[in-house]
Amino acid sequence: MRKINKSNYVLFCISIVLCLIVSLPGFANAAPLHAGPQFVDGYYADPDVQIYNGTYWVYPTRSTQVGESGTGAKSVDIFSSTDMVNWTKYSNVISSANISWLQHSLWAPSGAYRNGKYYLYFAANAINGDGQLGGIGVAVADSPEGPYTDAIGAPLINVVRNGAGPMDQDVFIDDDGQAYMYYGSWGECNVVKLNADMKSLGTWSDGTVYKKVTPTKTGDNDYFEAPKVFKRNGIYYLTYAAGVWADSSYKVMYATSSSVTGPFVPQGIMLHTDTTTADGPGHNGIVQSPITNDWYIFYHKRYLSSSQRVLVFDKFEFNADNTIKPVEMAVEDNFDDGTDAGWTKYGGSWTVSNGQYNVASNPGAKALLDTNFSDVIYESDVTPGSTGNAGLVFRVSNPGTGADTYQGYYAGLDVPNQKVLIGKANNNWTSLATASISLTANTKYHVKIVAQDASIKVYVDDMTIPKISVTDSTYIRGSVGVRTYDSSAKFDNISVHSSRYETENLIVSATSGDKHAMFGNGTGRDLNLSGGFGTALDANAVNDFVTYTVNVPEARSYSVRVGVKKGANRGQFQLSVNGVNHGLVQDLYSSTFNYVELNVATISFSSAGDKSFKFNVAGKNGSSSDYDLSIDYIKLVPN
């Protein structure tokens, strides 16, 4: 499976996250952008990733698997791949059988290589203070798949210093060959030197062993756990988790420094919950392809309706100023890995072969992804059989086994009747529209659904002119998936993304030293917003502004809609795109707080690509006490 950049109709705004790589020189194959809903089957978390001799190695925490009982895994499984598509599992590479002091838990493994030996660092026993048995251990092997044996027969770090819990360790080797270990939970982070043997601690020039490097605390998404460090263009990047690991507040932040020991200055949110896609993403690893130089983030997430964590990865990029472009949790699958991990089936016989998702002819079968999209752009290759019809379902809720046992919409290709159709189900079927089209059985067609509010458009092969356009507002949001009715079918190249995205990690400027903040920070969530977060500009003068980078997917006309929070201290803004003003001045004053979506302007773009959307403070209402702007999201609706 691979990910295609989810750039259509969106503002890249979900923050992205970075992490450490310690790699043995080698030439890994060019990698895909994404591995689908999850890249290995089963429940895992906290992935570290390394490259050894051209092979990618992933070290995750092993959660309790289906059919197992109890909590707190006492073993580690690791995974390897030469192409980031096909993964080999190595089970139980380290466990209580070869770690004598391991009592009840083992988690957050991380790898390193030096002088022909492979090292695996791990946290065990969850100690709460000095004198307890547990902390950070180290094991060693002659090959990356193990077997690993305890390198020192005791914890490497078993004390609490500077308030940092001895866990969530990660090794970074600098350009001069010095190895460092960053670690810490409970809101504090330390760094220690590793000696050349990689299994003992060195000292700093002042004679101390433990140096505190917790990123500067602002009271807003401060460091909690899971540090990772890597270096790029002379800059040290420290990524870390904030929030609560067990809920949707869990996210990844990043900070930067010119020194390996800091101070690390927070730069913002890099990855967080997306209410359309997944919950609580974080505790990540980072790898750079030695062939393409592309960067990838490995992390865990929870599906929206599950408490279990699974492993995923996505590609990310840097801006020219060395800041990081937001990473989105993609929903895409091309089934190249031969599995349908992440899909839930309702009826029918489903298999994956030849890089396609296959289903035999049946009275009605569905396979769904655990998502919750409202405004959605959903694409797939569909190969219908000679009978019945096959296609895509979206905004689905209450699914069950049976042809129409769900609530939602379905667009299908009907070969016998030479038509494309769309309708809705609610334990029965209601046709909305059909259109004539020439179809051949067992032939691949590219189908795209664009659902914006009540407007639904269906495209087949020709992505510029819809075959069907209807208006229906019965179902607002829900899952996406594939479906057949009395037909065999094949599906491939699934790509799903929203046209409505949050706005974070923005370029913010103000003439008088003004500041910006984000809605929904902390452990609480503001469900009025498009995922719990937005950006506020605390302005106090005309010409203060905030800018957003928006990716425009096609050269065409769009309605630009902006989600805002109105209030008594709100100002007025004028939208400009690449320096040209559009639409009327918008007034955000209101006597009470309320959330609205403004139709700001209609803009015809002559080219696709990144555009600079600037919201310039134009003044304030006579009743307003201030000039503030509170912006939640930008949405492009094609005309």
Side-chain angles (χ1 to χ4, degrees):
M1 304 181 192
R2 64 181 177 85
K3 167 188 167 186
I4 307 164
N5 272 337
K6 198 171 52 169
S7 59
N8 289 2
Y9 305 90
V10 305
L11 166 67
F12 275 152
C13 59
I14 298 178
S15 310
I16 99 176
V17 61
L18 299 174
C19 196
L20 166 70
I21 172 177
V22 182
S23 61
L24 182 69
F27 296 97
N29 296 327
L33 298 182
H34 182 68
Q38 63 190 80
F39 68 87
V40 294
D41 203 4
Y43 303 139
Y44 294 92
D46 314 328
D48 178 49
V49 57
Q50 309 292 333
I51 297 177
Y52 301 137
N53 289 330
T55 298
Y56 297 84
W57 293 85
V58 173
Y59 303 80
T61 297
R62 184 185 188 276
S63 301
T64 302
Q65 303 297 316
V66 174
E68 295 179 345
S69 61
T71 59
K74 291 187 177 182
S75 64
V76 169
D77 299 337
I78 60 176
F79 300 87
S80 72
S81 175
T82 58
D83 56 11
M84 293 175 71
V85 174
N86 302 286
W87 293 87
T88 300
K89 177 180 177 180
Y90 300 88
S91 299
N92 201 29
V93 299
I94 188 172
S95 71
S96 56
N98 47 16
I99 304 297
S100 61
W101 51 275
L102 174 60
Q103 294 178 325
H104 57 78
S105 58
L106 174 66
W107 75 97
S110 59
Y113 170 84
R114 171 155 279 180
N115 298 328
K117 296 290 186 179
Y118 298 87
Y119 296 89
L120 191 155
Y121 300 84
F122 58 92
N125 296 352
I127 67 171
N128 297 310
D130 296 1
Q132 301 176 19
L133 182 61
I136 296 172
V138 55
V140 65
D142 293 325
S143 62
E145 69 270 23
Y148 286 86
T149 58
D150 193 342
I152 58 177
L156 176 62
I157 300 176
N158 64 342
V159 296
V160 177
R161 295 293 181 266
N162 303 318
M167 62 187 77
D168 289 1
Q169 68 296 320
D170 193 70
V171 173
F172 166 70
I173 301 178
D174 210 347
D175 300 335
D176 62 1
Q178 176 63 57
Y180 302 89
M181 178 186 291
Y182 295 80
Y183 74 90
S185 187
W186 312 341
E188 300 294 350
C189 181
N190 284 341
V191 62
V192 296
K193 282 185 174 182
L194 288 175
N195 290 324
D197 63 6
M198 300 296 281
K199 58 185 181 180
S200 62
L201 304 182
T203 57
W204 300 98
S205 58
D206 61 2
T208 61
V209 175
Y210 304 91
K211 187 176 291 293
K212 181 177 177 177
V213 290
T214 309
T216 305
K217 294 187 177 182
T218 65
D220 189 21
N221 289 316
D222 289 335
Y223 175 94
F224 181 67
E225 64 184 7
K228 299 283 181 177
V229 169
F230 73 97
K231 188 177 183 181
R232 178 183 179 272
N233 291 345
I235 299 171
Y236 295 90
Y237 292 78
L238 169 65
T239 72
Y240 53 95
V244 180
W245 71 270
D247 66 28
S248 59
S249 70
Y250 202 59
K251 63 181 72 69
V252 183
M253 314 287 292
Y254 82 106
T256 58
S257 177
S258 59
S259 169
V260 72
T261 56
F264 285 94
V265 179
Q267 300 297 328
I269 298 174
M270 300 179 299
L271 182 66
H272 64 70
T273 290
D274 180 346
T275 55
T276 67
T277 305
D279 197 57
H283 202 131
N284 59 286
I286 290 295
V287 71
Q288 184 183 22
S289 166
I291 295 295
T292 65
N293 291 323
D294 290 330
W295 291 84
Y296 296 88
I297 171 176
F298 285 67
Y299 58 97
H300 71 244
K301 68 177 183 181
R302 293 179 176 88
Y303 292 117
L304 296 177
S305 61
S306 173
S307 62
Q308 296 287 355
R309 296 170 295 177
V310 298
L311 300 184
V312 293
F313 66 80
D314 286 292
K315 181 181 176 180
F316 68 89
E317 298 175 328
F318 295 85
N319 293 306
D321 63 357
N322 294 313
T323 58
I324 302 163
K325 291 184 179 181
V327 160
E328 300 167 30
M329 292 186 287
V331 183
E332 297 173 355
D333 204 341
N334 65 10
F335 305 101
D336 282 354
D337 66 352
T339 77
D340 62 351
W343 291 83
T344 302
K345 281 82 71 177
Y346 299 88
S349 178
W350 297 85
T351 59
V352 177
S353 62
N354 299 318
Q356 297 180 99
Y357 204 16
N358 308 285
V359 62
S361 182
N362 60 85
K366 300 176 290 296
L368 303 179
L369 291 170
D370 188 357
T371 56
N372 191 28
F373 286 97
S374 176
D375 298 327
V376 67
I377 299 94
Y378 178 18
E379 300 184 59
S380 176
D381 292 336
V382 180
T383 303
S386 59
T387 60
N389 52 73
L392 311 181
V393 288
F394 54 100
R395 293 180 176 172
V396 172
S397 61
N398 301 315
T401 300
D404 301 318
T405 310
Y406 66 100
Q407 294 173 314
Y409 297 101
Y410 167 67
L413 303 180
D414 187 327
V415 172
N417 296 300
Q418 294 290 284
K419 66 182 181 181
V420 56
L421 60 91
I422 188 169
K424 56 186 177 181
N426 184 9
N427 294 313
N428 53 48
W429 176 253
T430 301
S431 177
L432 295 176
T434 64
S436 297
I437 185 174
S438 177
L439 298 170
T440 302
N442 303 314
T443 299
K444 182 182 296 184
Y445 299 92
H446 191 70
V447 178
K448 180 171 76 171
I449 308 296
V450 178
Q452 298 275 359
D453 300 321
S455 171
I456 302 173
K457 298 179 180 180
V458 183
Y459 300 79
V460 182
D461 283 348
D462 182 354
M463 296 293 106
T464 60
I465 301 175
K467 293 292 187 292
I468 294 177
S469 295
V470 297
T471 300
D472 191 273
S473 58
T474 305
Y475 303 113
I476 302 302
R477 62 174 59 248
S479 297
V480 298
V482 294
R483 177 184 183 267
T484 66
Y485 178 73
D486 284 337
S487 176
S488 62
K490 298 177 182 179
F491 302 94
D492 199 2
N493 297 318
I494 302 287
S495 175
V496 189
H497 41 88
S498 174
S499 65
R500 172 170 160 165
Y501 276 84
E502 301 161 33
T503 51
E504 296 170 4
N505 265 14
L506 310 176
I507 302 169
V508 179
S509 181
T511 59
S512 306
D514 303 305
K515 61 186 175 63
H516 76 288
M518 282 175 279
F519 300 132
N521 287 328
T523 58
R525 298 191 58 74
D526 189 341
L527 298 180
N528 287 304
L529 300 172
S530 68
F533 299 89
T535 297
L537 179 66
D538 185 7
N540 58 15
V542 172
N543 295 324
D544 290 355
F545 66 89
V546 57
T547 63
Y548 306 77
T549 299
V550 178
N551 186 277
V552 176
E554 296 179 276
R556 64 180 299 168
S557 173
Y558 297 90
S559 294
V560 179
R561 301 180 186 177
V562 181
V564 299
K565 181 181 181 181
K566 288 192 170 185
N569 59 343
R570 299 301 190 258
Q572 299 169 329
F573 72 81
Q574 170 75 59
L575 171 66
S576 68
V577 179
N578 288 352
V580 178
N581 287 340
H582 292 276
L584 302 175
V585 172
Q586 303 291 322
D587 192 338
L588 301 188
Y589 172 79
S590 176
S591 58
T592 58
F593 290 126
N594 60 90
Y595 296 84
V596 298
E597 183 177 277
L598 302 177
N599 196 349
V600 173
T602 298
I603 304 177
S604 294
F605 293 94
S606 59
S607 63
D610 286 347
K611 313 294 181 182
S612 177
F613 279 54
K614 179 181 179 182
F615 294 82
N616 195 71
V617 175
K620 65 179 178 179
N621 185 291
S623 301
S624 179
S625 61
D626 216 330
Y627 295 85
D628 297 350
L629 303 183
S630 296
I631 299 173
D632 180 15
Y633 61 85
I634 299 173
K635 181 165 65 177
L636 301 184
V637 180
N639 295 316

